[in-house]
Amino acid sequence: MRSLHETQTGIVSSRTMSQQLSKPHLIELAKEFGTPLYVYHAEKIKEQYEKLKSAFSKTDTAFFYASKALTNINILKYIKSLGANVDCSSILEARLALHAGFLPKQILYTSNGIAFSEIEEAQSLGIIINIDSLSNLEKFGKKFGHSYPVGIRLRPNIMAGGNLKISTGHDKSKFGIPVTQIKQILDIVHRYDLLVHGLHIHTGSEIKDADVFIKGIEVLFDIVPHFRDLKFIDLGGGFKVPYKKGDTETDIHLLAQKIGEAFANHPNPGGNPLQVWLEPGKFLVSECGYFITSVNVVKKTPSATFVSIDSGFNHLIRPMFYDAYHHIENISNPESPMKKYAVVGNICETDTFAWDREINEVREGDNLVFYNAGAYGFEMSSNFNSRLRPAEVLVKNGKAHLIRRRETFEDLLRNQVEAV
Ligand code: LLP
């Protein structure tokens, strides 16, 4: 744990300026904790959460942090302290949320293709469940009938999101029960007298256009009259954050205004006022994250100058997997002229973070930082090539806390059984 001056933390007072950790601060952290290193900035998470809360202040809205983006227990605890609920995509995420202190009623398990045993476990833990298949809905009905409320995850057949890999609501997607199967859904609901408290959709990630959410609401509102016990409409997550200069983000205020109007114009025929539920992942934790690396080798070739860092897609898979853009800066040499580089990893297959990227002149040993590394960064890391996963640090109130130690050789062997 260490303390830094406020100026070094980059904490800013202006309400319009975004919180950022400064380059000298990041260099200090790299020196203290080594690289590769994931760093998260608590106050940035708070800023994002407050932004959402204030935008939706006129509409009855509950926020469930999509914890799949970043599940470190300290992050979960911090987000709980802000007053958010949590959305989980596996029963183990739900158990992590309980471990972090969330109450069962604050935990939503939005399931997808899971074994019914996980739904039984979720019920026994007392958490909220969104079911995404006719088959599991039927099993749920048989076992629990009217005794335990349930949400239904629907597929609205809407194309949305930054790219096909992260689009989940279209008509070829595996997610949710197609809304066109409403008759089969209602058969099950009536046969078992199910207590359907919620309808859920999540159409994708990095959705810029507020109207996509409104389209989803229209699809749901068409079927709302069939469900007399509804309490919430869950619109999932997927708000876009900026990844590069000039990038636009979802206009949260416009979105809140449009959602508010849509709900105000459609009172629930069942009688209960309908609450809006949202499941932001990237919006809360993408920008709080910095991934700091060190340059191993600068290799000049006729086609490109390759900068090989002490990392790879085993630590940050987004560029290779989604062609995602992460802004990269040379924090060790910020005043030097810009040059073009191919930033690559040290994994033994093509492992490109950025091609033809302008960065301040790079020397071996420099620290390169990747921005927007909070969401789906560490969380999607692996031990490929028998490399160790990085450490994680949380900067809160200007103090740096180690929240996950760097892996060691022993970790690679921990669960292996030397049986032969
Ligand atoms: N709710 C549900 C049911 C989801 O499946 C997801 C994300 C979210 C909420 C949160 O979405 P967000 O607000 O973070 O966009 N690994 C990919 C993103 C996959 C998102 C999967 N589901 C990436 O790095 O871009």
Side-chain angles (χ1 to χ4, degrees):
M1 210 165 83
R2 63 196 295 279
S3 197
L4 282 142
H5 299 301
E6 281 240 314
T7 48
Q8 279 190 312
T9 68
I11 290 175
V12 286
S13 55
S14 159
R15 287 189 63 208
T16 52
M17 273 178 79
S18 176
Q19 310 242 15
Q20 260 210 328
L21 297 181
S22 67
K23 289 175 196 163
H25 191 173
L26 294 171
I27 292 263
E28 297 249 351
L29 293 172
K31 268 194 207 131
E32 179 170 357
F33 297 100
T35 66
L37 180 71
Y38 274 98
V39 175
Y40 313 116
H41 185 195
E43 284 74 22
K44 179 64 189 171
I45 302 177
K46 185 170 181 198
E47 179 187 302
Q48 293 296 98
Y49 183 64
E50 297 296 333
K51 223 193 267 182
L52 269 185
K53 249 184 39 183
S54 91
F56 282 88
S57 60
K58 294 203 184 97
T59 306
D60 185 12
T61 311
F63 300 100
F64 292 78
Y65 163 54
S67 60
K68 74 199 77 184
L70 179 59
T71 52
N72 186 293
I73 205 76
N74 300 273
I75 299 291
L76 296 180
K77 283 184 184 171
Y78 182 70
I79 288 181
K80 181 185 177 297
S81 79
L82 298 177
N85 307 292
V86 66
D87 173 55
C88 303
S89 55
S90 74
I91 197 69
L92 292 168
E93 274 185 10
R95 282 169 53 186
L96 281 176
L98 285 168
H99 184 84
F102 286 94
L103 301 172
K105 66 175 184 195
Q106 297 173 311
I107 303 174
L108 170 63
Y109 182 7
T110 299
S111 66
N112 144 55
I114 61 171
F116 185 64
S117 55
E118 281 203 17
I119 293 181
E120 291 175 302
E121 190 175 343
Q123 186 274 346
S124 72
L125 294 173
I127 65 181
I128 311 160
I129 310 166
N130 282 331
I131 291 185
D132 88 315
S133 66
L134 290 171
S135 151
N136 273 336
L137 197 62
E138 173 92 36
K139 289 179 198 158
F140 184 90
K142 253 189 211 151
K143 175 122 196 208
F144 302 113
H146 192 77
S147 70
Y148 198 86
V150 68
I152 300 178
R153 178 174 191 175
L154 292 146
R155 192 187 77 194
N157 296 344
I158 291 172
M159 182 58 91
N163 63 66
L164 196 56
K165 279 191 185 152
I166 53 176
S167 293
T168 48
H170 59 83
D171 65 359
K172 291 192 176 57
S173 159
K174 68 168 182 170
F175 296 98
I177 307 174
V179 71
T180 46
Q181 292 180 346
I182 184 66
K183 193 179 162 318
Q184 289 99 308
I185 295 173
L186 292 176
D187 281 351
I188 297 173
V189 169
H190 296 146
R191 192 163 344 122
Y192 299 105
D193 192 19
L194 290 185
L195 198 53
V196 180
H197 274 186
L199 299 179
H200 169 280
I201 52 171
H202 170 77
T203 57
S205 195
E206 301 185 8
I207 305 168
K208 261 191 259 184
D209 183 3
D211 286 336
V212 166
F213 290 89
I214 303 307
K215 261 196 225 158
I217 291 173
E218 281 165 8
V219 172
L220 292 180
F221 278 161
D222 276 349
I223 59 167
V224 157
H226 295 297
F227 301 92
R228 308 302 292 183
D229 303 305
L230 280 187
K231 296 200 161 147
F232 65 87
I233 296 287
D234 183 343
L235 300 173
F239 313 138
K240 165 106 178 53
V241 293
Y243 277 83
K244 53 175 128 171
K245 253 199 186 136
D247 221 1
T248 44
E249 63 180 338
T250 313
D251 183 338
I252 290 298
H253 284 92
L254 180 67
L255 179 68
Q257 185 201 324
K258 289 195 171 196
I259 291 180
E261 281 166 9
F263 275 70
N265 293 331
H266 283 265
N268 180 14
N272 296 315
L274 283 178
Q275 196 175 41
V276 180
W277 286 15
L278 297 171
E279 302 164 358
K282 281 179 186 160
F283 192 82
L284 290 183
V285 298
S286 173
E287 291 163 278
C288 81
Y290 303 78
F291 182 47
I292 314 174
T293 63
S294 301
V295 175
N296 286 339
V297 176
V298 177
K299 186 192 280 184
K300 285 193 179 161
T301 77
S303 58
T305 301
F306 291 95
V307 167
S308 304
I309 57 176
D310 59 351
S311 182
F313 69 64
N314 52 324
H315 296 155
L316 179 64
I317 202 171
R318 300 193 74 257
M320 284 304 287
F321 201 47
Y322 308 109
D323 288 328
Y325 180 99
H326 283 263
H327 183 58
I328 304 171
E329 275 181 11
N330 182 356
I331 53 177
S332 305
N333 202 13
E335 305 304 330
S336 63
M338 300 297 263
K339 297 204 164 164
K340 278 198 176 161
Y341 297 101
V343 181
V344 296
N346 56 5
I347 287 296
C348 68
E349 66 175 80
T350 301
D351 185 14
T352 311
F353 288 109
W355 188 260
D356 244 356
R357 184 72 66 86
E358 286 212 332
I359 303 176
N360 292 110
E361 183 166 17
V362 178
R363 305 153 305 181
E364 292 183 358
D366 281 355
N367 289 130
L368 299 193
V369 64
F370 291 69
Y371 291 82
N372 283 82
Y376 310 105
F378 182 90
E379 208 57 33
M380 294 179 79
S381 64
S382 76
N383 287 121
F384 186 44
N385 275 198
S386 293
R387 297 236 171 240
L388 307 174
R389 264 184 279 237
E392 291 177 292
V393 162
L394 177 64
V395 177
K396 189 176 161 206
N397 294 328
K399 285 187 186 142
H401 308 260
L402 182 69
I403 58 170
R404 186 189 300 265
R405 61 170 180 74
R406 186 175 302 289
E407 283 182 341
T408 61
F409 176 68
E410 286 67 38
D411 291 319
L412 292 181
L413 285 169
R414 172 164 305 142
N415 291 324
Q416 299 197 43
V417 180
E418 293 191 51
V420 287

